[in-house]
Amino acid sequence: QVRLVESGGGLVQAGGSLRLSCKASGFTFSSNHMAWFRQAPGEEREFVAAINGSESSTYYTDSVKGRFTISRDNAKNTVYLQMNSLKPEDTAVYYCAADPSWSGPIINDYELWGQGTQVTVSS
């Protein structure tokens, strides 16, 4: 079964850290570029970070640069999002997504999505 399953979300105080994980199954993980998106209540889903299949290239939205790090372990079929110095405005449901072609921040190009994990940052 082709699927993405996110985990690692939770409640954290501002300035804290969380590490999200996204486990892939049912497809060739290393051949797919991976990304994280997020959606706050009442807002559209927005791009956070992306990483290519060979881990040689990453891309971040400006608001998380220097605070978030995307990485992947192709042996474990898992992509991660390390989130440091969290802010209340980072509160959202975080989704991972996969695409065999490099799409970067273009949300409509991603073919496979996880169910999301909630991140709540208190002030």
Side-chain angles (χ1 to χ4, degrees):
Q1 183 179 6
V2 177
R3 64 187 303 195
L4 298 171
V5 179
E6 300 96 334
S7 61
L11 174 64
V12 63
Q13 289 188 333
S17 298
L18 281 175
R19 188 194 195 202
L20 305 184
S21 300
C22 174
K23 175 74 171 178
S25 59
F27 63 97
T28 305
F29 181 71
S30 60
S31 297
N32 278 259
H33 309 295
M34 301 298 296
W36 288 94
F37 290 79
R38 66 186 180 187
Q39 187 167 18
E43 302 289 332
E44 293 187 352
R45 194 170 298 187
E46 65 173 1
F47 171 78
V48 176
I51 186 168
N52 68 349
S54 62
E55 305 177 66
S56 62
S57 180
T58 57
Y59 185 73
Y60 298 90
T61 192
D62 286 345
S63 63
V64 308
K65 285 180 181 176
R67 300 189 299 123
F68 291 11
T69 302
I70 188 171
S71 63
R72 64 191 294 162
D73 185 336
N74 287 341
K76 295 182 178 180
N77 287 357
T78 302
V79 61
Y80 305 97
L81 185 68
Q82 178 66 45
M83 305 186 295
N84 299 328
S85 302
L86 282 161
K87 305 175 181 180
E89 51 263 44
D90 294 318
T91 295
V93 177
Y94 283 71
Y95 300 89
C96 68
D99 188 29
S101 301
W102 177 251
S103 300
I106 305 174
I107 185 172
N108 290 335
D109 286 357
Y110 285 87
E111 299 181 349
L112 180 63
W113 292 83
Q115 83 290 346
T117 186
Q118 176 70 48
V119 172
T120 303
V121 184
S122 63
S123 57

